[in-house]
Each structure stands twice: as C-alpha cells, then as structure tokens.
Amino acid sequence: MSKRCLSVLAFLLLLCCSLSIFAQTKSTDAGGHQWWQHAVFYEIYPRSFADSNNDGIGDLKGITSKMGYLHDLGVDAIWISPCFPSPQVDFGYDVSDYENIDPMYGTLADFDHMVAEGKQQGVRIVLDFVVNHSSDKHPWFIDSKSSRTASHRDWYIWRDGKGPGQPPNNWMSTFGGSAWKFDPATKQYYYHYFYAEQPDLNWRNPAVEKAMLDTTGWWYKRGVSGFRLDAVDTLFEDPNLTDNPVLPGTNKQGDPNTDEIHNKKLPEVHEVLKKLRKVADESDAVLIGETWTSNIDELKEYYGSHDNELQMPMDFMFTTVDKLSPPEFRRQIAQVDSAGGWPVFVISNHDKVRSYNRYGDGKNNDAIAKLMGAFYLTLRGTPIMYYGEEIGMENNDPKRKEDVKDPIGRTGWPREIGRDGERTPMQWNSDTNAGFSQKDPWLPVPLTYKTHNVATELKDPNSVRQCHVVSPQLQGESRTGGIEHVGLAPEGNLQPRRQRLCLRQSEDLGGDAAVIRKRPRSDAGTVRSHHRGSDEVIDF
Ligand code: NOJ
Ligand code: CA
C-alpha cells in the first residue's frame, strides 16, 4: 500500500474514533457533573397526579398541563411510575405491552407531546421499566402458557412440582403465598416473585435479554432520558431451585419468614445492569435502581466496579431512619458518601408511608416537613421528591378492608393495609376533590387538602411548599456539598427549636447569598451556612 493510502487510512481511522468519542460524550457542567447530578427528580404516580378528562384517574395530558408547575418547583426530571398498557392488577407494575401507553393514560402521541412540553420547560422524562416480570396478559406469557413447546415457553420460569400438589420449592411470593402457580393445562408451575399475575421473566434466556434491551433503546429514541428499574434485586434465581432457609416467625401476610438467599441479589444481576447501562450511555441516559440494600457494600456493587452499572441506585437504607435522629442521619450520610458513587436520597415513594406521617410528631408536622425538605434536598447527591411531598401531603389510609384497592392490603388486612394511603390524588386547590378531577377520584383525598394544596401554599410565604423550591443556585451549592447541615453536626441536633429552618430562594438566594433563612423565634439558635468556602453564622 502506498504511503499516501496509508495516511488517508490513518486519517479516516482517527476521524471514526473521534466521532465515536464525540457520540458518547456526556453533557457535563463546568464542575464536571453530568445532568442528573445537578438535577432534582420528582416521582409522579400517574393515576394520581392530574386528571385531564375527568374520569377520576390521572393521565399524561394531565401531567403535561402541570409542566410549568414542575419547572417552577425546580424539578429537572420526572420519573413516571408505569403508564404502559396493563390490566392494573398491581396498578401498572404488570405490563402487557412495553412499547405503548395504556389508553387510560392516553396515547403515544400524548406521550410525545408531554416530552416536547417537558423540553420547553426543562423537565426530562424518566420511565419506570418493570424488568423482573411482565403481566400474565402479555402476549409473551400467553404464548408461553399455551404449551410446553411454545416458542416463548422458556421466556418465563416453568418447573415441575416436587410431587402432586407440591410446588418446586419453598420460595414465597413477597405479596403472599407460594411463589409458584400451577398451570393445569401444561401441568407445570411458573414462578412469580410478586402477584401470580406478574410472572417472572427468564433473564437467562438471551431472547428475553435482547427484547428488554431493545425496548430501552426504543424509548430513548422517543426522547426518554432514563429509566427507574423496578425490582432489580429479583432478576435471577438459583437454577437448582435450592430451598431458602426458614426463619422464625411469620410476615404481614402470615407466611413463614425465609432468608431469600437463593432468589434475590444473585451476581448475574450485575451483568444485566452493565448491558442496560451500555445502551443508556449511547443516549446520555440515566439508570435509577430500586435497590433494597441492607448494607453499604451491597449498595456499592450497584454502581458497578467501573462505574458501569447504575448511576443512581436509590439508598433505601436512608428511608429506614423513620424519626428525626441526627446521629442516625449522620451515620447514613457518611456511609453512602463512603460508597464512592453519587448518593441518591429519597424519603417517600408510592410503596412507603409518606414522610409527613413518618417524621411528623403530631404537633409540629408542618415544621418538620419543612425541615426535612430543607435537609435532604440540599445534601450532596441527587434527591428524588415524591409528588405532594412539597405541600405536606399526608397518608389517607383506608379504614375498612372493603375500601382497600391495593391487593396486598386486602389479602394482608389488618396487619398489611396496602399502599393506597400514600397514592392519593395530588392536592391542587381547595375545590372539590382537591382540584384533581371533577369526578370522584379512584382514591379519596385526605381531609387536609383544604389547607395543604398548591394554590393555597403558593400564596403563603411560610408554607411547606416554599421550603421545597430548589433554585438553580441552591442546586449548584448543594450538589457539590457546599451546604453544611448544622443540625447534623456532632454538636447539633434536630430538636423542635431547629424545625423552623427554611430554605428560601427569593429573599436569601440572590446570587451567592446564604441559604438558610432566619425565622422569628423566641428561642434563638444559630444556623451555619457554609457557603463558597466561608462560614456564615445566622442567629434565629
Ligand atoms: C416495586 C414497585 O415499586 C411496587 O409498587 C410494585 O408493586 C413491585 N415492584 C412489583 O413490580
Ligand atoms: Ca383521566
């Protein structure tokens, strides 16, 4: 080959390399942070956020109509709980088509419109990807169940029983009863870690893996900025079906407690996460994990040994601190910091009693809600706010079994009352049904909607909501650890006298100003706001 040809070849090679590097370049800020590191995320439970067609159930057009509200709150990305076609046995966590929108929520055109409006308002869309299982009404499962030789048979986990009427092993469904359901037609059992209507996908089958990875790519092309990955801990099971050790006592469903060492957190999970991450990286997308870890080493693993798995594994150990306990918070924050990955803070979600109830003492609930907002929204890391948390929404738990909608609340009543209480409609104003819908909503709104609603709180400079507005300046400071939380310092405390701390952007955050606002109080204290390298001490 001539010298000239060689240099042309070398030039083309160089060009290709730089193009591919360019394609993978992440959008980072001046401090080297990626978009999701200086973002505030906000979880939306779509059934309950805003109802545009007054059928009592929220929808995508409803979400689109509230993009301005989200923008003003300082939200950069919304994670929408599943809005795909679903029989709604687990309210969307039973998906029957991964590449469409449930008609109850709208259409793909509504989805595209929502993405476009989000772009206008600087709000990205993150979807919820139910990776562990599909609905039993998904065409894959319908085919799988049709015969032992069906082409999708091996897309799910089918096994013979141990003997007549005996499931393959002692694994229990976390939603109650055995995790195996017998199919009389093909005379085998299929495995379901959640409801029987949620059969587990067989991730050991490369065809399943390919279909699921392709689905993420399909949504990225449609403008999605990432996924919250549902139930990643349960993706794989021991192929030998070894029984789990039985522990003393029973759970809320009355089943024997077991140590789920053979059907949870298997190492194979990490190989799948790496593959999902590779696809995500091609679109500068983020992966958030529903990662129920019991110690920091487990959490660390979810980031991946080379930062090649989840960028944002949620630290649920933080949510186990159910009281205002500075030493406990300090311990948790130090631990998550030591994991080396980017911390992700959450205090409520659609599966957990609202933070307003968990932290509230019954007397100072609003003050405590303000404190909690001011606190976790300014920690170094990325916060995920749950809709309604910003206005001090509280749980509205069902009082009678016949009112319960969540199936686990019906089977487990009264020890397990289900999750309806934390999923009630967003409180927009003090009109009927809190302005959510003109029709009676699918779940009743709590009585406090008269005082705790967006319209009323926007007018009140001392409202819970005003302590949840995250301005860009505040975000900049907090994401890099620029805010010191004195209440958490060894000598500090989070006693009631400190509960009036409130972050305000309008008055206190002009440019480089301090972030913790003085409130008129008789019992004065001090708040230190560590700011741009210098300490300011403010009396209050
Ligand atoms: C976790 C989800 O957050 C929960 O709501 C759901 O019931 C289970 N995964 C099953 O998908
Ligand atoms: Ca609707």
Side-chain angles (χ1 to χ4, degrees):
M1 201 180 289
S2 75
K3 253 188 178 173
R4 194 180 147 79
C5 275
L6 272 176
S7 28
V8 171
L9 211 65
F11 173 75
L12 285 176
L13 207 66
L14 203 69
L15 190 71
C16 286
C17 287
S18 15
L19 280 178
S20 88
I21 289 168
F22 180 74
Q24 286 166 29
T25 299
K26 309 265 179 323
S27 40
T28 49
D29 65 12
H33 290 100
Q34 293 175 50
W35 68 265
W36 46 269
Q37 291 180 297
H38 49 80
V40 172
F41 283 68
Y42 184 93
E43 180 193 353
I44 289 182
Y45 199 66
R47 292 179 77 85
S48 299
F49 195 60
D51 179 15
S52 73
N53 62 348
N54 292 306
D55 62 357
I57 294 173
D59 42 58
L60 297 192
K61 279 187 177 156
I63 297 175
T64 306
S65 71
K66 301 296 182 187
M67 279 301 174
Y69 169 77
L70 295 166
H71 166 88
D72 294 348
L73 186 62
V75 168
D76 304 279
I78 49 174
W79 143 34
I80 306 176
S81 292
C83 51
F84 316 105
S86 159
Q88 303 289 324
V89 172
D90 193 16
F91 299 111
Y93 284 96
D94 46 323
V95 178
S96 54
D97 180 355
Y98 285 99
E99 294 181 0
N100 214 331
I101 298 295
D102 193 294
M104 157 196 325
Y105 295 129
T107 61
L108 277 172
D110 295 334
F111 178 84
D112 293 341
H113 185 222
M114 178 178 71
V115 173
E117 180 61 18
K119 215 168 187 176
Q120 289 281 318
Q121 299 283 357
V123 178
R124 295 171 182 255
I125 313 295
V126 169
L127 290 180
D128 204 320
F129 194 31
V130 190
V131 277
N132 175 67
H133 48 269
S134 74
S135 157
D136 63 342
K137 299 293 179 294
H138 195 296
W140 298 339
F141 188 72
I142 293 174
D143 181 54
S144 183
K145 201 179 166 194
S146 66
S147 90
R148 286 197 185 201
T149 54
S151 61
H152 290 89
R153 184 67 170 183
D154 194 36
W155 281 47
Y156 295 85
I157 299 158
W158 291 94
R159 290 289 191 283
D160 293 332
K162 260 187 183 162
Q166 282 185 294
N169 66 9
N170 76 345
W171 296 351
M172 304 302 293
S173 158
T174 193
F175 284 167
S178 167
W180 296 95
K181 180 163 177 182
F182 186 63
D183 170 44
T186 59
K187 299 195 173 33
Q188 278 194 313
Y189 287 81
Y190 70 85
Y191 176 68
H192 58 93
Y193 184 76
F194 297 94
Y195 295 123
E197 293 85 350
Q198 296 168 299
D200 273 52
L201 285 157
N202 176 15
W203 274 88
R204 296 187 190 276
N205 181 342
V208 169
E209 182 185 285
K210 178 170 182 337
M212 296 301 267
L213 294 181
D214 287 354
T215 295
T216 63
W218 189 87
W219 283 108
Y220 293 141
K221 283 201 194 95
R222 243 190 150 98
V224 161
S225 294
F227 286 97
R228 175 262 189 189
L229 301 178
D230 185 64
V232 287
D233 298 337
T234 54
L235 278 192
F236 285 89
E237 302 75 28
D238 169 15
N240 298 322
L241 306 190
T242 315
D243 275 342
N244 281 328
V246 178
L247 302 172
T250 57
N251 61 24
K252 284 182 171 181
Q253 296 288 343
D255 295 323
N257 289 321
T258 56
D259 189 1
E260 298 173 313
I261 50 175
H262 296 298
N263 57 343
K264 262 177 119 171
K265 298 180 183 162
L266 266 58
E268 291 90 325
V269 168
H270 297 284
E271 296 315 307
V272 167
L273 294 181
K274 281 181 196 126
K275 291 177 186 168
L276 285 161
R277 173 67 182 273
K278 213 160 163 255
V279 184
D281 277 349
E282 284 161 17
S283 296
D284 193 13
V286 73
L287 295 177
I288 305 172
E290 192 205 9
T291 38
W292 289 99
T293 57
S294 40
N295 58 56
I296 215 65
D297 289 333
E298 276 181 14
L299 183 70
K300 216 168 169 168
E301 282 182 26
Y302 277 113
Y303 290 103
S305 45
H306 298 95
D307 179 25
N308 53 354
E309 296 188 28
L310 304 174
Q311 297 102 317
M312 288 177 55
M314 290 189 259
D315 175 17
F316 285 122
M317 291 173 286
F318 194 75
T319 65
T320 61
V321 189
D322 273 355
K323 52 182 190 296
L324 293 179
S325 166
E328 256 311 292
F329 281 132
R330 272 201 300 277
R331 203 174 63 79
Q332 295 279 354
I333 294 163
Q335 278 202 351
V336 76
D337 273 342
S338 75
W342 186 254
V344 181
F345 293 106
V346 177
I347 59 172
S348 317
N349 69 25
H350 63 284
D351 295 327
K352 259 201 112 56
V353 170
R354 282 186 176 273
S355 53
Y356 191 87
N357 301 76
R358 297 207 325 279
Y359 297 105
D361 63 0
K363 278 190 275 171
N364 304 291
N365 287 9
D366 277 7
I368 294 172
K370 291 175 195 175
L371 174 72
M372 283 309 292
F375 161 52
Y376 93 99
L377 289 171
T378 55
L379 290 171
R380 188 189 76 91
T382 299
I384 307 181
M385 206 190 296
Y386 184 46
Y387 82 94
E389 197 175 284
E390 75 274 24
I391 51 169
M393 263 175 74
E394 65 176 21
N395 259 57
N396 192 20
D397 294 323
K399 310 288 174 301
R400 308 174 313 169
K401 186 179 171 185
E402 53 269 40
D403 296 333
V404 176
K405 298 270 191 315
D406 186 11
I408 50 168
R410 289 201 300 270
T411 52
W413 190 273
R415 262 175 94 186
E416 169 63 75
I417 63 169
R419 300 161 290 182
D420 295 349
E422 53 264 32
R423 298 172 174 183
T424 58
M426 177 70 177
Q427 296 161 199
W428 293 106
N429 56 44
S430 56
D431 297 346
T432 319
N433 302 325
F436 165 75
S437 176
Q438 283 164 25
K439 187 174 171 232
D440 277 353
W442 75 289
L443 286 174
V445 294
L447 292 177
T448 53
Y449 81 91
K450 287 273 178 203
T451 49
H452 291 72
N453 64 67
V454 171
T456 305
E457 294 195 30
L458 279 174
K459 288 185 226 136
D460 174 5
N462 290 324
S463 68
V464 175
R465 187 187 173 278
Q466 309 299 10
C467 300
H468 285 75
V469 183
V470 186
S471 70
Q473 295 100 309
L474 179 54
Q475 254 180 58
E477 286 300 318
S478 56
R479 295 305 161 260
T480 49
I483 293 170
E484 186 179 346
H485 297 79
V486 167
L488 297 179
E491 76 282 7
N493 59 47
L494 285 174
Q495 296 308 309
R497 71 190 183 86
R498 293 203 187 272
Q499 286 167 8
R500 288 204 160 215
L501 306 187
C502 184
L503 299 181
R504 293 286 306 276
Q505 62 167 346
S506 49
E507 292 167 43
D508 301 327
L509 264 183
D512 296 340
V515 294
I516 298 193
R517 183 173 193 257
K518 178 180 173 234
R519 288 261 174 236
R521 290 194 57 85
S522 49
D523 49 347
T526 56
V527 173
R528 184 183 309 146
S529 164
H530 182 74
H531 212 72
R532 297 201 184 262
S534 66
D535 281 1
E536 291 181 45
V537 177
I538 306 168
D539 291 329
F540 77 108

